[in-house]
Amino acid sequence: MSGETKFAFRTENLVKTYGQGDGQVDALRGVNVEIPAKEFVVLLGPSGSGKSTLLNILGGLDKPTSGKVYFNDIEVSAMKDKAMTKYRRHNVGFIFQQYNLLPSLTALENVELVTEIAKQPLPAKQALEMVGLTDRMNHFPSQMSGGELQRVAIARAIAKQPSVLFCDEPTGALDSQTGRTILNILQDINENLGTSIIIVTHAVATAAMADRVINFADGNIVDIRTNAHKAKADEIEW
Amino acid sequence: MSSLDRKLFRDLRRMKWQAIAIGLVMALGVMVLVMMDGLVVSLEETKKSYYEDYKLADIFAPTQAAQSQVLVELAKIDGVENVQGRVRGSILIDMPNSKTGVLAQALSLPNQGKAQINDVFLSAGRMIAPDVANEILLLNSFADAHNIKVGEAITAIIGGQKQQFNVVGVAQAPEFLFAAMPGELLPDDTRFAVIWMQQRYLEDITGLAGKFNEAIFLLDDDADTTNILTKIDDILDPHGGYGAYGVEDLVSNRFISEEIKGAKASAQALPPLFLGIAAFLIFIVISRIIQAERQQIGLLKAFGYSSAEIGRHYLKFIIIIALGGAILGSVAGVYGGLELAGVYQIYYKFPFLEFRVDYQAIFIGNLVSVVAATIGGSYILKNIFKLNPAVAMHAATPPDFSKSIRFGSWAKRLFNQPSRMIIRTLLRHPIRALGAMIAIASGMSLSVAMISLMASFDKSIEMSFEVIDRSDAMVNFVQPMPIDVVAELSKIAGIELVEPFRAVPAILQNGQLTHKSLISGLVAAPELNRAVNVEFEAIPIVETGIILASALAEKLQVGVGDDLTLKIRSGARPTLNIKVAAITETLVGSPVYMRLASLNKILDQGELISGVYIKMDKSQQAAIYDELKSTPYILAVSITADAKAAFKKIMDTGAGAVRYVMAIIAFVITFGIVFNSAKIAFAEGGRDLACLRSIGYTKGEAAYVLLGELAIVTLVSLPIGCVLGYYLSFATATAFSTDLYKIPAEVNFESFFLASLAVVVATIVSGWLVKRNIDKIDLVSVLKSE
Ligand SMILES: Nc1ncnc2c1ncn2[C@@H]1O[C@H](COP(=O)(O)OP(=O)(O)OP(=O)(O)O)[C@@H](O)[C@H]1O
Ligand SMILES: [Mg+2]
């Protein structure tokens, strides 16, 4: 990388609280972080520490209680509904903890749902090819396995060629072989398409693949480290 | 096709039964509107063209007798386009199957050519040939009722002599759409006969050679009717004019107009009700369907779909269902209206039907349907759009049961876990539960009102014939007779009670308001034909003053104690002022009562009576009728039982028939509402049920959670439905009442019971249908597709 570092994301004192009074939960307690563009970032942390919450806010799915989020120096946290929709539509892709496919659409149609509104999408079929699902593309979600569903979700997320891809435990429910395939795909996308990838995982070993590893606990960042050498997905031990 | 559209069609297919149920309820609402409005518009148009095509007179002016030269004078009145004189008489027809014979009205047709006013519609046979003495046309409905065919002869008794007439044609005319005996208020085809014959022959029979006793008028379009009526009366007064009246006072026209008005009133009152309830249902259902889509909406937003795009998608979904139903309803309404108009056409004796589609009703029906659905949907969408996608996507409504009641240890013992789930679900969504209850209750209230309406019609008949008129027969005399005949008639074996009456034509006037009517002079405390108050208790016929039917008092805008001008149109035709002594409730017609003695005093002709009401021993009725028939001064005997049967028939075949259709529609709507409630509860709770099943609950236990909710909602809605139905019954009874007969609201236990039963049955059937869905839940796919 040359010149000054370009940040994909920068946050200032990001706070998110749910509920109030007795039942109040502080999911994020003043997070300050800078994430450079085109990096492969791994977010680690115990359950309930606020990882999904942070991802949702960065991706424009949720609003912080206070604090700011910048994407390429544009303040996401200040966006109005319309701008936010555009941001989600053109810049970010999501792979959710649950697969979140529309049950009434086939695998292919689930992907097309996104490619139809994106600016420069990959053909839906090509996206499914990348995740190795060409033969199941006319199946409905109820007819597919967890791993297949997750791959459809990935295809759907990458098909729009987003500049950032958020993955919330994409391999959580998968066996090691399938998990590796998916990490391979993600790494591929990161390296070949220059897509920033921010991935939440409980699989600590995944950290070896990352440019940057953020450790999260109790609503805030504990430490951030960068890897001098990135491992290939195939090399990871589970 | 875009993926969203594909989703749309798949979702519609998935929800097809529910979509169909919603669509059908909406369709019924729209159908009732389109049908009733189409019916009314068609009847009005038909009546109008029939009147115009067959030149129904604008004014009728009966007299005792007038020379035909008077017509020249009448024609000169400003605004009169045409005037004709005709002869009207009564001829007793001897019917083999009638105990009393039938008194027919005889009307003259011009000696030459077609009638220029009050023409006849020939339904079979031919017109009378000129110069043939014994050829007649017979009224269609009478000929049908007695199966008299063209070419057959009938026997008349003229001046005590039997005379044969050949029926060369059967005909009908706009002035006889309503076939009721003079002085009676209900049509009866078997006893209402009209004979048309050439003027010269009828003149002979009636002894009116060269004269006429009824002038009929056609007026210019912009004629001043009130003014013309006065002028006609002035001219005819020396010739014994009975008082000219406009077509609006023609008995037949009044009846038909009232009936159409009644149909129109119910067309204005009922369809909005049905449509409104259907619209409310669609509003509730669509709201809940959209609410259940919340997660998917959140997901679409996460992909970057804008609120507008998502909104459009769901609006399409909503409009397909709403418009689908509305269009179906419009088509069904047009056909229903055509069918119903056909029924009315026969009933009203229109020779043809001018069917009209009421496009305005179709437009309104479709608009209401779409608007109700759209408002229901957009309201929920707007709320979901306000949420951040992350929140919306979260599994269902994050059910915050923390605020819900905590079950203490006693409650835990009382309710098992599934029962507690039911209670929490209901309490957690009080608005939703309330909406479902009100929807079911309003559907049910329709049923209550429609069943009540049936009871009301029966009550109306019962009141008319068991409380108001308790006689077995009414006897009319050829001409007023001395009151001594009462004693004479009382002697006939089997006659138990004879009560005299005098009927004289009169005009009641209060300022500009006038009403032409028959005044009945009755004894002080009648036993047979009585005046009653609102509580249906007999009121005495007071010595001074006049007693008016409530509808008439309303028309003349007078109350008890007010003065009226009374113009008697008989004898010396006195005019006097008289006080309104009491108001009487009637269900049929608008009678006017006075004490017999007082009426006779006014008339100053002695103690005369026009007829009597009689009560008799039924076992001897045949002999009694024979005896009466052979009594020379008796013109006709009307048997109350016949009148009652005729009344029942008109209520079942005319406007009254609509109530059966409405009751069926009300039941179907109720079922649709209950079924939808069950289906939606299933759609919303399906995942929970799958969870329960997956942790080892049986199908029955899982179903209990869902159906228990439905059962509670239904049970609570029953009393609400009864209360709503109670009030609705009054509204519908009023809507079905006309000036000619009144329908008292009659809400009884039966209405509540039947309507409740319908809801309970609908709930059980819907529960059973949904239970089948629960049994078929594919656990894996439901849990996977979170
Ligand atoms: N809608 C909500 N209402 C209340 N609290 C919430 C809500 N969503 C999340 N939380 C709370 O916020 C905290 C952070 O949640 P978050 O989902 O970010 O955790 P996470 O780090 O992703 O955990 P996991 O690894 O289990 O997915 C948790 O304590 C959670 O209970
Ligand atoms: Mg998480």
Side-chain angles (χ1 to χ4, degrees):
Chain A
M1 257 176 275
S2 60
E4 62 182 298
T5 313
K6 189 148 187 317
F7 293 117
F9 286 102
R10 185 157 58 81
T11 72
E12 285 173 14
N13 277 322
L14 213 51
V15 171
K16 179 74 181 180
T17 40
Y18 290 109
Q20 46 199 332
D22 265 1
Q24 179 169 324
V25 179
D26 299 313
L28 298 179
R29 305 166 185 264
V31 177
N32 288 297
V33 72
E34 289 170 341
I35 301 173
K38 302 188 179 182
E39 281 199 353
F40 193 111
V41 179
V42 168
L43 202 55
L44 293 175
S47 177
S49 56
K51 307 178 296 289
S52 297
T53 306
L54 178 65
L55 230 57
N56 284 345
I57 292 175
L58 293 181
L61 297 185
D62 210 347
K63 293 216 156 133
T65 310
S66 67
K68 290 174 177 174
V69 180
Y70 293 93
F71 169 74
N72 291 343
D73 291 328
I74 305 158
E75 193 186 338
V76 177
S77 47
M79 283 181 186
K80 289 265 172 352
D81 191 58
K82 220 170 181 172
M84 200 73 132
T85 299
K86 262 204 177 130
Y87 169 62
R88 286 195 296 262
R89 180 183 289 210
H90 301 303
N91 298 310
V92 299
F94 257 101
I95 299 167
F96 300 103
Q97 206 161 351
Q98 297 91 10
Y99 315 121
N100 277 333
L101 298 180
L102 293 178
S104 50
L105 295 181
T106 62
L108 181 65
E109 289 160 358
N110 260 289
V111 177
E112 283 171 348
L113 193 63
V114 167
T115 56
E116 274 166 16
I117 58 168
K119 248 186 217 151
Q120 293 175 303
L122 294 173
K125 279 188 188 155
Q126 190 185 328
L128 281 169
E129 220 166 276
M130 287 175 71
V131 295
L133 265 185
T134 23
D135 51 337
R136 319 287 325 245
M137 63 189 184
N138 289 322
H139 284 62
F140 285 95
S142 61
Q143 299 166 317
M144 286 189 273
S145 76
E148 287 162 346
L149 291 173
Q150 191 61 295
R151 278 188 279 165
V152 177
I154 292 172
R156 187 174 65 182
I158 59 173
K160 68 158 84 159
Q161 307 212 56
S163 40
V164 198
L165 190 56
F166 294 103
C167 316
D168 199 341
E169 296 183 44
T171 58
L174 308 177
D175 69 274
S176 58
Q177 187 50 48
T178 320
R180 197 170 284 135
T181 315
I182 282 170
L183 289 177
N184 241 326
I185 296 166
L186 293 177
Q187 196 167 45
D188 215 44
I189 293 164
N190 174 246
E191 282 168 5
N192 298 332
L193 305 176
T195 309
S196 306
I197 293 199
I198 304 178
I199 173 169
V200 169
T201 180
H202 286 288
V204 182
T206 316
M209 292 169 57
D211 290 300
R212 192 174 296 262
V213 180
I214 301 176
N215 262 305
F216 220 77
D218 204 14
N220 218 331
I221 294 169
V222 180
D223 69 61
I224 300 177
R225 68 194 151 79
T226 47
N227 282 334
H229 168 74
K230 290 201 284 183
K232 285 274 161 224
D234 297 328
E235 301 164 6
I236 292 174
E237 293 298 324
W238 288 66
Chain B
M1 189 163 39
S2 76
S3 305
L4 274 186
D5 285 341
R6 227 170 264 144
K7 167 173 159 24
L8 181 79
F9 287 115
R10 297 238 175 84
D11 287 346
L12 275 173
R13 213 163 62 196
R14 173 171 57 87
M15 300 175 48
K16 62 175 174 289
W17 290 114
Q18 202 185 343
I20 288 171
I22 302 169
L24 275 184
V25 169
M26 208 57 236
L28 288 173
V30 174
M31 176 185 144
V32 171
L33 178 76
V34 172
M35 182 173 80
M36 294 298 285
D37 282 4
L39 170 70
V40 170
V41 176
S42 300
L43 290 178
E44 282 178 333
E45 281 301 315
T46 303
K47 182 183 107 172
K48 198 169 148 233
S49 353
Y50 189 28
Y51 282 10
E52 277 170 10
D53 294 356
Y54 291 87
K55 307 199 181 63
L56 180 63
D58 293 317
I59 289 180
F60 295 75
T63 68
Q64 270 160 18
Q67 296 292 334
S68 45
Q69 295 92 293
V70 179
L71 291 172
V72 180
E73 212 177 323
L74 290 171
K76 282 189 200 140
I77 299 173
D78 201 25
V80 170
E81 185 196 301
N82 194 354
V83 57
Q84 301 285 316
R86 66 175 182 179
V87 179
R88 180 195 279 271
S90 299
I91 291 180
L92 189 66
I93 306 176
D94 192 29
M95 299 299 299
N97 55 357
S98 162
K99 288 164 251 175
T100 54
V102 171
L103 190 68
Q105 297 183 54
L107 283 175
S108 66
L109 286 173
N111 294 331
Q112 296 295 318
K114 263 172 73 82
Q116 291 168 28
I117 307 177
N118 284 359
D119 198 5
V120 295
F121 171 88
L122 195 65
S123 20
R126 59 166 173 84
M127 291 302 286
I128 316 160
D131 306 326
V132 184
N134 61 349
E135 281 191 1
I136 57 161
L137 298 181
L138 187 61
L139 185 66
N140 195 357
S141 55
F142 181 80
D144 281 351
H146 292 280
N147 204 19
I148 299 170
K149 298 266 174 318
V150 170
E152 292 178 10
I154 57 170
T155 311
I157 300 166
I158 294 168
Q161 300 286 310
K162 288 199 175 186
Q163 196 175 327
Q164 295 277 106
F165 287 101
N166 292 330
V167 180
V168 296
V170 295
Q172 52 195 108
E175 60 184 313
F176 297 115
L177 283 172
F178 164 71
M181 303 291 285
E184 281 186 32
L185 292 148
L186 300 166
D188 184 352
D189 289 346
T190 58
R191 295 185 299 135
F192 187 82
V194 178
I195 290 171
W196 285 273
M197 57 174 71
Q198 262 179 60
Q199 181 142 357
R200 70 186 81 165
Y201 300 115
L202 191 55
E203 281 174 10
D204 290 347
I205 291 172
T206 52
L208 287 171
K211 295 180 180 165
F212 66 91
N213 64 2
E214 187 174 44
I216 43 182
F217 298 78
L218 282 181
L219 302 186
D220 295 333
D221 286 342
D222 53 354
D224 173 4
T225 310
T226 327
N227 198 11
I228 295 172
L229 283 174
T230 322
K231 284 184 181 154
I232 294 172
D233 279 348
D234 289 347
I235 294 171
L236 289 180
D237 206 50
H239 308 280
Y242 290 113
Y245 57 94
V247 67
E248 62 283 350
D249 281 325
L250 177 71
V251 177
S252 166
N253 180 51
R254 250 190 63 216
F255 184 86
I256 294 297
S257 301
E258 276 304 322
E259 281 274 295
I260 293 178
K261 217 165 93 187
K264 197 170 184 168
S266 43
Q268 275 159 358
L270 290 185
L273 215 68
F274 280 73
L275 189 63
I277 285 171
F280 180 64
L281 169 86
I282 203 170
F283 169 82
I284 296 276
V285 174
I286 294 284
S287 313
R288 287 176 71 170
I289 289 176
I290 301 295
Q291 188 67 51
E293 289 278 307
R294 174 188 149 126
Q295 255 176 295
Q296 299 203 19
I297 294 171
L299 191 62
L300 290 173
K301 287 203 82 175
F303 297 153
Y305 276 90
S306 68
S307 298
E309 283 163 328
I310 302 171
R312 224 165 18 237
H313 167 67
Y314 281 101
L315 283 184
K316 258 195 240 172
F317 175 82
I318 292 166
I319 286 173
I320 285 176
I321 296 178
L323 213 52
I327 290 171
L328 183 70
S330 308
V331 173
V334 169
Y335 281 101
L338 184 59
E339 283 298 313
L340 209 54
V343 171
Y344 272 71
Q345 181 203 346
I346 294 166
Y347 171 66
Y348 285 168
K349 309 188 169 64
F350 287 132
F352 51 84
L353 180 70
E354 299 263 333
F355 186 71
R356 292 273 188 287
V357 174
D358 187 356
Y359 292 101
Q360 196 187 332
I362 292 179
F363 176 75
I364 291 174
N366 282 269
L367 187 71
V368 167
S369 172
V370 169
V371 166
T374 310
I375 291 178
S378 345
Y379 174 72
I380 300 296
L381 281 174
K382 222 177 87 199
N383 282 343
I384 296 178
F385 290 156
K386 266 192 244 155
L387 301 174
N388 292 320
V391 181
M393 273 165 60
H394 224 98
T397 330
D400 178 9
F401 285 111
S402 59
K403 280 195 222 105
S404 168
I405 46 165
R406 306 252 174 222
F407 288 95
S409 55
W410 64 270
K412 281 189 182 158
R413 255 177 284 128
L414 203 57
F415 302 115
N416 58 8
Q417 197 59 42
S419 301
R420 273 178 261 159
M421 279 180 73
I422 295 174
I423 296 169
R424 283 214 177 94
T425 309
L426 287 172
L427 292 177
R428 177 58 205 148
H429 305 287
I431 303 287
R432 197 173 84 183
L434 196 70
M437 286 167 192
I438 293 179
I440 294 176
S442 38
M444 179 183 155
S445 69
L446 273 186
S447 303
V448 171
M450 292 307 124
I451 301 167
S452 299
L453 199 59
M454 299 206 193
S456 300
F457 275 79
D458 292 341
K459 165 115 175 174
S460 177
I461 294 176
E462 187 198 311
M463 284 298 151
S464 297
F465 292 100
E466 266 144 54
V467 178
I468 297 174
D469 182 359
R470 304 193 293 186
S471 67
D472 293 319
M474 181 174 79
V475 178
N476 277 295
F477 300 154
V478 176
Q479 62 196 52
M481 297 293 291
I483 199 155
D484 311 339
V485 297
V486 171
E488 195 177 305
L489 290 171
S490 305
K491 284 189 209 126
I492 297 176
I495 290 193
E496 294 165 351
L497 189 59
V498 178
E499 225 168 65
F501 69 88
R502 175 100 198 244
V504 286
I507 296 170
L508 301 171
Q509 191 175 355
N510 176 31
Q512 292 287 70
L513 303 164
T514 62
H515 180 80
K516 193 171 164 287
S517 171
L518 269 185
I519 299 189
S520 301
L522 300 179
V523 295
E527 277 297 308
L528 297 181
N529 188 27
R530 313 184 302 166
V532 296
N533 63 15
V534 186
E535 267 81 47
F536 290 101
E537 296 157 350
I539 53 176
I541 309 297
V542 289
E543 199 184 335
T544 51
I546 196 165
I547 299 173
L548 298 182
S550 55
L552 189 52
E554 224 166 89
K555 180 178 171 188
L556 293 172
Q557 294 176 16
V558 287
V560 174
D562 290 347
D563 268 331
L564 268 181
T565 307
L566 180 63
K567 294 180 175 167
I568 305 279
R569 298 281 107 176
S570 172
R573 303 157 65 88
T575 295
L576 62 148
N577 277 335
I578 194 160
K579 261 199 183 7
V580 177
I583 306 287
T584 178
E585 273 317 300
T586 50
L587 299 171
V588 183
S590 305
V592 180
Y593 301 116
M594 273 181 80
R595 177 77 70 85
L596 175 60
S598 313
L599 183 60
N600 272 329
K601 208 151 143 209
I602 294 169
L603 288 162
D604 197 24
Q605 296 168 325
E607 292 282 292
L608 297 182
I609 58 173
S610 315
V612 293
Y613 296 103
I614 55 177
K615 193 169 164 58
M616 62 180 126
D617 176 3
K618 296 266 165 48
S619 62
Q620 303 182 47
Q621 67 177 30
I624 295 172
Y625 290 136
D626 277 345
E627 172 101 41
L628 292 176
K629 211 169 153 184
S630 60
T631 308
Y633 58 82
I634 289 180
L635 179 63
V637 179
S638 317
I639 298 159
T640 312
D642 291 352
K644 183 173 175 178
F647 191 14
K648 209 169 160 52
K649 199 172 148 215
I650 81 161
M651 287 198 164
D652 276 347
T653 48
V658 174
R659 74 194 198 273
Y660 294 111
V661 179
M662 294 297 175
I664 291 168
I665 293 177
F667 279 124
V668 177
I669 287 186
T670 307
F671 180 82
I673 294 177
V674 175
F675 176 71
N676 268 299
S677 302
K679 272 299 220 187
I680 298 174
F682 175 70
E684 288 165 348
R687 234 192 86 78
D688 289 0
L689 299 187
C691 274
L692 284 179
R693 296 271 292 112
S694 70
I695 58 175
Y697 278 81
T698 64
K699 286 175 182 173
E701 284 161 339
Y704 171 74
V705 173
L706 188 72
L707 300 183
E709 186 186 330
L710 182 64
I712 290 176
V713 167
T714 306
L715 285 179
V716 176
S717 51
L718 291 182
I720 306 176
C722 287
V723 173
L724 290 181
Y726 178 79
Y727 288 106
L728 210 55
S729 300
F730 283 92
T732 48
T734 312
F736 268 85
S737 297
T738 66
D739 277 4
L740 292 161
Y741 56 82
K742 210 180 227 167
I743 304 301
E746 172 73 0
V747 196
N748 51 19
F749 174 76
E750 196 194 3
S751 322
F752 293 138
F753 176 76
L754 281 180
S756 302
L757 189 69
V759 172
V760 170
V761 168
T763 308
I764 290 170
V765 173
S766 308
W768 176 74
L769 289 173
V770 169
K771 169 81 166 61
R772 291 197 329 174
N773 287 331
I774 296 174
D775 293 348
K776 276 191 292 194
I777 290 180
D778 178 354
L779 290 187
V780 185
S781 77
V782 173
L783 294 174
K784 198 154 64 178
S785 67
E786 186 188 355

